[in-house]
Amino acid sequence: MQIASAAFGLALALSGCSSSEADEIRSEPSPSIESAETKEYVAASAEGPAQNVPKPVLPEAVNDNSANGARATVEYFWQAVDYGRLTGDTAPIEQVTHYVCEACNQLIYKWEQIYADDAWAVLDGETSIQIGEVQQNFDDANDEEWTAVLFKMQEPASQFYEDGVLNEDASIEGGESAGWWVEMVYDEDDGQWVIDWLDLDSTFDE
């Protein structure tokens, strides 16, 4: 999925100005532009949500139609989930998920809605995953290749605040490891991996 950026024409803003007015505008100092990456990161707390959270960078490996590319995509996905938990910005999650992935859509909707409702999360660390198997398969009926990635995931403890008040029921202790699996396909049109299924896998807990 591509994220479009808007461009604004300076010429339109200056149209109708006289040459002297334009000179005055040009002589004024330009405001400094500082990206979120250069601003100081402020961790989430009971006082408010995290600020200036570094956005995860999509690795080039997701474009590699191989087991390593599938692994890199799963790892990036959970980095994107943590980013969404801290910001409510789910665009990085959407970069590597297919619209048919119901669990992915639920995650996206959940975190967008939480922040829209003036709630936020405080995370104690980050999600860690341990990839166990990458199974590459071929579906004869649909003439389609697909890949399954099995992994163990450990989520960080998290506290949820609504209007500055701790919601103990929604908060989780974290620390427990659980087995998960994803189904993925390589999108030839976009030239990258996308996740189209996500679920728990209790057999991988053993």
Side-chain angles (χ1 to χ4, degrees):
M1 299 183 182
Q2 303 295 326
I3 304 173
S5 59
F8 298 89
L10 181 60
L12 292 177
L14 293 179
S15 61
C17 294
S18 66
S19 59
S20 60
E21 289 173 332
D23 289 339
E24 289 178 6
I25 292 174
R26 285 195 295 270
S27 65
E28 293 178 357
S30 301
S32 60
I33 300 175
E34 187 176 21
S35 67
E37 288 76 13
T38 61
K39 293 181 180 178
E40 183 179 358
Y41 169 69
V42 179
S45 69
E47 304 301 320
Q51 299 177 40
N52 309 318
V53 181
K55 182 175 289 191
V57 177
L58 189 69
E60 292 183 3
V62 304
N63 305 121
D64 185 8
N65 188 3
S66 68
N68 287 335
R71 289 173 185 267
T73 303
V74 173
E75 291 169 350
Y76 170 82
F77 171 80
W78 288 107
Q79 293 172 10
V81 170
D82 278 351
Y83 178 77
R85 287 168 170 163
L86 288 173
T87 64
D89 179 2
T90 61
I93 301 175
E94 296 181 62
Q95 282 187 292
V96 291
T97 56
H98 197 284
Y99 68 86
V100 300
C101 180
E102 294 183 7
C104 305
N105 293 335
Q106 290 171 5
L107 268 175
I108 291 169
Y109 175 78
K110 172 185 175 180
W111 289 103
E112 287 179 344
Q113 195 60 45
I114 284 173
Y115 281 81
D117 292 340
D118 293 324
W120 65 90
V122 177
L123 302 186
D124 182 15
E126 59 188 25
T127 300
S128 63
I129 67 170
Q130 178 184 351
I131 295 178
E133 297 182 49
V134 178
Q135 303 173 350
Q136 295 178 295
N137 309 277
F138 186 80
D139 185 347
D140 292 319
N142 296 314
D143 191 29
E144 180 182 60
E145 293 181 351
W146 61 277
T147 296
V149 179
L150 285 72
F151 58 96
K152 284 188 176 181
M153 180 184 68
Q154 185 173 341
E155 290 188 272
S158 58
Q159 297 82 45
F160 291 87
Y161 290 86
E162 298 179 67
D163 296 323
V165 179
L166 177 65
N167 184 332
E168 295 185 3
D169 293 334
S171 300
I172 60 174
E173 293 183 3
E176 295 185 3
S177 181
W180 287 75
W181 72 297
V182 297
E183 284 185 11
M184 314 173 64
V185 294
Y186 188 81
D187 189 323
E188 296 286 353
D189 293 332
D190 290 339
Q192 70 162 73
W193 286 95
V194 289
I195 295 171
D196 58 15
W197 181 267
L198 169 69
D199 204 352
L200 286 163
D201 183 6
S202 58
T203 60
F204 196 55
D205 290 335
E206 301 173 359

